[in-house]
Amino acid sequence: MGEDADTRKINHSFLRDYVTEADVISTAEFNHTGDLLATGDKGGRVVIFQREPASKAESCCHGEYNVYSTFQSHEPDFDYLKSLEIEEKINKIRWIPQLNAAHCLLSTNDKTIKLWKVSERDRRPEGYNLKDEEGRVKDPSTVTALQVPVLKHTDLMVEVSSRRVFANGHTFHVNSISVNSDCETYLSADDLRINLWHLDITDRCFNIVDMKPLNMEELTEVITAAEFHPQHCHLFGYSSSKGSIRLCDMRAAALCDRHAKLFEEPEDPGSRSFFSEIISSISDVKFSHSGRYLLTRDYLTVKVWDLNMERGPIETYQVHDYLRSKLCSLYENDCIFDKFECAWNSTDSVIMTGTYNNFFRMFDRESGQDVTLEAVQDSSKPCAVLKTRRIGSDGRRGGRRRRDDVSVDSLDFSKRILHVAWHPAHNIIAIAATNNLYIFQDRAAPNM
Amino acid sequence: MGQMGFFSFQKSMRKRKNVIQTASMCRLDTDTTGKEVDQPGDVLSSSRYLLGRGVKRKRSASGERAPGLPYPQQRQLILDLCLHKLQRCYAQAEPSLRRSVLLANTLRRIQDEMRREGVDPPAAPAPSPPRAPTPRHEPPPSPCPPPPGEEAHGPGSPPPPPPPPPADSLFGSFEIANSTSYLTDLALDDIFEDIDTSMYDSSDFSALTPSAVDEGLKPAPACAPAGPLQFCLSDLNELDHIMEVLVRS
């Protein structure tokens, strides 16, 4: 990873541009090959993009992503018993490893998880004997010769069908789903409970974690994210609002309330403030592709944990430390409760997360370098390089300011990049900036 | 200074469904016009809890607000914000549990700190949901005798005087104000208990009734120090008992 200008050449595809609330993107996920990218929005819709095969002219450039299919996954619902609306916003999408020609994905809103099958149809039979071209039944007496129907190519049709609906498993808001490496089961986590489902069974699930206290008034900790280990089908991890991660082994007990490992960093007494707990709340947890490490995102940092060491993270990266002195204001306007996601690259050497002002950050674990980039479209230069941005330091502290530094006070806190995804094999990233989806790729080193 | 620029961008923040537009983005010490969309006109509108209405704070020379304030005022500001946000939480359709828990923990921490210093902490806002209780809004299950509990705390703290009566009576007034609504909710649950529930979704229903009803009616002997989410009242316990007798007979 180098400095600005030339080393990162980007193929810049600007794919969606809406202004309504329902179009705010709420999740983005590549499938296991990276050829498909699914996004969900607040209106309950899922849009799937497919990567076109790269043109021969630009050998080092990957193909563009174009819309493959759009469907309404969840509708707004109403809980009559509690007189509450259930939002149709898609909280998470997870792809299921492909077993046949069709692609399957799980999408969830606050309460219900659905399994969708996406299949292509590009042929249809023609030449029936008893039906004419429009499908009307022919009079058998007019048939003088027999023909064998043949399959003819038609325009590609993508059909999406709902195959399973996993309802009524949760009384709190579902925040995570994760498909197991056994490809048969998956977990869903809400604020207080984690359930284990079988992909084929919708009327039953197993509760594997229950953090609900008998007395709700004693509640002090909630589950914020959960994920299965990428290789070990019996291991899963979940993060909490108190900044700890628990690794659980499903072989140990049916109810995994007792963790196998607890990852917690002792609080630094020097940096304790009123907001210590709020900013330590973990908003996302991701296992590395190798399965050896865990990546967590809290409000100000991303941390890498080694699964073999519970007492603290092995690496800590400051995402936007200049906000540390602004915590009171961020608390006032509720920004302090924003939940940012994080992502690994394919080789686990670079981690990425979003921040405010449509900026996102990348940290190279090997070189220690980090970069801030802006998700913005420059329509005059469709294949422009993303410029490195810098948040200007306070003049009072004597730091040098460059001319195009962005000052902390001019950051737009409504432009937050909460959802990010990294292609599983290549250096292609998807960035969701409110209503817009950006896909960037690294032309300099496309396959890392 | 730059603080102006920091706040002015908040106005373009997108409106979210079911979320009261936060106007606390404006500085709290400025005018009261164009403030919060909703200000419920209940006990919480008393001057003690008003935010953004004439709460005076010093502006330090550096221009950064909170760090420039002396610690007790800073703490008071955050405490007020906590209460305000928790109150808004309860007014929402379905509040985020994570947010409520984080706010409650922060509030509890500040309250504990204030108690240790012998300062009288204001009580937590009472949830008065207009709807049937969600799992989040379960009625307080463990009533404890508040006055003896509070008084016991008094002699423990060294120089400051025993817990001043105003705190208890304010706390108590919240309870009384809310016991009616809790009672209504409890009564509803008792009635539902007798209804044939086969048409309802079993898991949704089970989520509501056992917790709401059992915990509400179960008399608990524990006398825990009143936290922000615990609203103890011996009156409520008696009323629970009466309701239980009336409905179950």
Side-chain angles (χ1 to χ4, degrees):
Chain A
M1 281 181 28
E3 279 294 325
D4 18 62
D6 38 54
T7 54
R8 286 190 73 88
K9 297 204 184 291
I10 307 289
N11 177 12
H12 192 148
S13 311
F14 190 165
L15 294 161
R16 281 162 66 144
D17 185 13
Y18 303 103
V19 293
T20 58
E21 174 68 10
D23 295 315
V24 171
I25 300 171
S26 49
T27 185
E29 179 85 352
F30 281 100
N31 75 336
H32 291 78
T33 59
D35 287 332
L36 295 176
L37 171 69
T39 62
D41 63 22
K42 275 195 168 185
R45 283 165 307 196
V46 172
V47 180
I48 303 177
F49 299 91
Q50 186 188 43
R51 194 173 71 173
E52 300 302 320
S55 61
K56 294 208 171 54
E58 304 169 73
S59 55
C60 65
C61 174
H62 297 281
E64 285 198 0
Y65 281 82
N66 296 319
V67 177
Y68 179 65
S69 171
T70 305
F71 61 96
Q72 186 76 32
S73 170
H74 286 74
E75 297 279 357
D77 208 346
F78 195 77
D79 184 335
Y80 294 96
L81 206 55
K82 300 174 200 169
S83 295
L84 293 167
E85 276 181 24
I86 300 174
E87 274 197 340
E88 67 273 30
K89 172 171 79 103
I90 308 289
N91 291 334
K92 279 288 182 307
I93 291 175
R94 289 288 181 263
W95 291 92
I96 293 162
Q98 197 177 3
L99 296 173
N100 49 38
H103 300 275
C104 290
L105 60 82
L106 288 170
S107 71
T108 184
N109 69 345
D110 282 339
K111 289 287 190 259
T112 306
I113 305 132
K114 293 188 182 180
L115 191 148
W116 294 92
K117 181 168 142 184
V118 185
S119 44
E120 288 183 5
R121 195 188 334 180
D122 62 351
R123 274 158 235 252
R124 68 186 187 102
E126 273 180 23
Y128 283 104
N129 292 295
L130 296 175
K131 285 193 282 188
D132 65 13
E133 295 298 314
E134 283 85 38
R136 286 188 299 249
V137 179
K138 274 201 247 186
D139 182 2
S141 56
T142 64
V143 177
T144 52
L146 286 179
Q147 57 183 347
V148 177
V150 290
L151 289 174
K152 291 256 174 77
H153 280 275
T154 61
D155 292 334
L156 180 67
M157 275 198 326
V158 180
E159 296 174 335
V160 179
S161 58
S162 165
R163 304 298 292 181
R164 308 264 188 274
V165 177
F166 302 94
N168 306 318
H170 292 277
T171 45
F172 301 100
H173 292 191
V174 176
N175 53 54
S176 314
I177 47 177
S178 175
V179 183
N180 202 345
S181 51
D182 66 7
C183 303
E184 283 186 351
T185 56
Y186 75 95
L187 64 76
S188 60
D190 65 27
D191 291 320
L192 294 178
R193 296 191 176 105
I194 301 182
N195 291 335
L196 181 73
W197 303 81
H198 190 285
L199 284 168
D200 292 334
I201 300 172
T202 58
D203 60 354
R204 242 177 307 151
C205 68
F206 292 100
N207 176 241
I208 51 179
V209 172
D210 191 344
M211 284 185 71
K212 181 173 186 280
L214 277 173
N215 174 2
M216 274 295 275
E217 308 298 343
E218 287 170 1
L219 181 64
T220 56
E221 194 173 7
V222 296
I223 297 169
T224 52
E227 197 181 49
F228 265 118
H229 191 279
Q231 281 96 37
H232 300 301
C233 57
H234 54 87
L235 281 183
F236 67 93
Y238 67 95
S239 59
S240 81
S241 57
K242 284 201 167 165
S244 63
I245 307 106
R246 288 173 177 82
L247 193 70
C248 296
D249 188 335
M250 294 197 293
R251 298 171 301 186
L255 188 61
C256 301
D257 275 354
R258 295 180 58 181
H259 50 263
K261 295 202 180 192
L262 172 65
F263 298 88
E264 212 170 19
E265 186 173 24
E267 194 181 358
D268 173 15
S271 65
R272 203 177 145 98
S273 77
F274 296 115
F275 311 108
S276 294
E277 180 169 336
I278 300 180
I279 62 171
S280 72
S281 168
I282 292 176
S283 51
D284 195 17
V285 67
K286 291 265 167 45
F287 281 95
S288 66
H289 290 96
S290 62
R292 169 93 189 264
Y293 303 105
L294 265 177
L295 180 66
T296 60
R297 172 73 154 100
D298 51 58
Y299 190 65
L300 293 177
T301 68
V302 279
K303 294 179 174 157
V304 177
W305 304 74
D306 186 324
L307 287 186
N308 299 317
M309 191 171 94
E310 297 168 64
R311 64 172 186 271
I314 55 169
E315 293 156 29
T316 301
Y317 300 95
Q318 301 295 331
V319 179
H320 36 214
D321 203 44
Y322 44 83
L323 296 182
R324 201 176 285 270
S325 55
K326 310 269 187 215
L327 287 178
C328 193
S329 317
L330 294 166
Y331 174 74
E332 268 183 80
N333 61 24
D334 277 352
C335 282
I336 208 174
F337 296 105
D338 287 338
K339 298 188 4 162
F340 292 93
E341 289 175 11
C342 51
W344 295 92
N345 77 333
S346 52
T347 55
D348 301 336
S349 58
V350 180
I351 54 188
M352 169 174 71
T353 187
T355 171
Y356 294 102
N357 211 61
N358 272 2
F359 288 171
F360 59 99
R361 304 262 284 140
M362 288 194 185
F363 302 91
D364 187 332
R365 296 177 59 212
E366 285 157 8
S367 68
Q369 283 186 319
D370 62 84
V371 73
T372 304
L373 299 165
E374 184 175 3
V376 70
Q377 185 204 23
D378 189 351
S379 42
S380 61
K381 297 187 244 170
C383 287
V385 169
L386 281 179
K387 223 173 60 157
T388 318
R389 307 306 303 265
R390 248 174 55 131
I391 312 295
S393 49
D394 260 335
R396 283 171 288 151
R397 293 194 210 127
R400 274 181 305 121
R401 275 188 77 122
R402 298 210 297 230
R403 209 168 345 130
D404 51 359
D405 279 359
V406 179
S407 100
V408 181
D409 301 315
S410 65
L411 290 174
D412 187 346
F413 287 82
S414 65
K415 292 188 184 164
R416 47 178 76 91
I417 291 182
L418 301 173
H419 311 290
V420 295
W422 204 308
H423 191 286
H426 302 140
N427 275 358
I428 304 173
I429 56 179
I431 308 282
T434 322
N435 298 325
N436 304 319
L437 178 74
Y438 295 88
I439 299 184
F440 301 120
Q441 52 182 304
D442 187 357
R443 237 184 246 169
N447 304 317
M448 255 168 59
Chain B
M1 193 223 150
Q3 279 304 318
M4 211 44 177
F6 182 94
F7 283 108
S8 70
F9 281 104
Q10 312 308 320
K11 293 189 181 111
S12 65
M13 240 166 148
R14 63 187 191 276
K15 285 187 172 39
R16 298 209 299 221
K17 224 173 21 165
N18 299 332
V19 170
I20 297 171
Q21 175 86 20
T22 163
S24 60
M25 42 192 88
C26 309
R27 288 204 302 275
L28 296 184
D29 58 353
T30 51
D31 61 351
T32 60
T33 57
K35 280 296 161 180
E36 284 292 328
V37 189
D38 290 325
Q39 270 296 356
D42 58 2
V43 285
L44 288 172
S45 298
S46 67
S47 57
R48 195 186 172 92
Y49 297 100
L50 273 181
L51 299 175
R53 307 233 166 135
V55 173
K56 285 193 177 155
R57 286 169 302 100
K58 284 193 286 195
R59 266 202 89 183
S60 65
S62 68
E64 276 182 330
R65 211 167 27 157
L69 286 176
Y71 183 80
Q73 276 177 277
Q74 215 180 325
R75 184 174 62 188
Q76 185 63 41
L77 165 69
I78 294 166
L79 179 75
D80 289 340
L81 279 173
C82 254
L83 293 171
H84 184 58
K85 284 178 190 292
L86 274 172
Q87 180 208 342
R88 272 185 24 224
C89 261
Y90 295 132
Q92 277 178 19
E94 199 161 2
S96 155
L97 188 60
R98 168 185 168 258
R99 201 182 118 99
S100 306
V101 166
L102 289 174
L103 286 169
N105 289 349
T106 307
L107 182 68
R108 195 181 286 126
R109 208 183 112 192
I110 296 180
Q111 284 181 335
D112 288 345
E113 197 177 283
M114 288 173 99
R115 273 201 200 98
R116 272 198 305 270
E117 292 175 7
V119 178
D120 150 42
S128 45
R131 305 170 168 82
T134 66
R136 174 78 186 84
H137 294 304
E138 284 161 1
S142 49
C144 65
E150 289 293 306
E151 295 313 323
H153 185 262
S157 56
D168 288 355
S169 61
L170 261 169
F171 199 64
S173 73
F174 281 125
E175 297 322 303
I176 292 166
N178 282 293
S179 62
T180 331
S181 67
Y182 281 133
L183 202 54
T184 316
D185 293 336
L186 287 173
L188 280 173
D189 293 336
D190 291 341
I191 293 167
F192 281 151
E193 213 185 357
D194 300 328
I195 292 178
D196 169 29
T197 61
S198 57
M199 63 178 146
Y200 289 179
D201 195 288
S202 60
S203 67
D204 277 351
F205 190 74
S206 63
L208 179 61
T209 20
S211 38
V213 172
D214 293 346
E215 291 174 40
L217 299 183
K218 207 188 318 178
C223 172
L229 296 181
Q230 269 183 316
F231 305 103
C232 320
L233 188 63
S234 52
D235 298 337
L236 186 57
N237 195 20
E238 285 170 17
L239 288 166
D240 289 348
H241 188 59
I242 292 168
M243 281 307 304
E244 185 178 356
V245 166
L246 284 174
V247 173
R248 292 201 186 205
S249 59

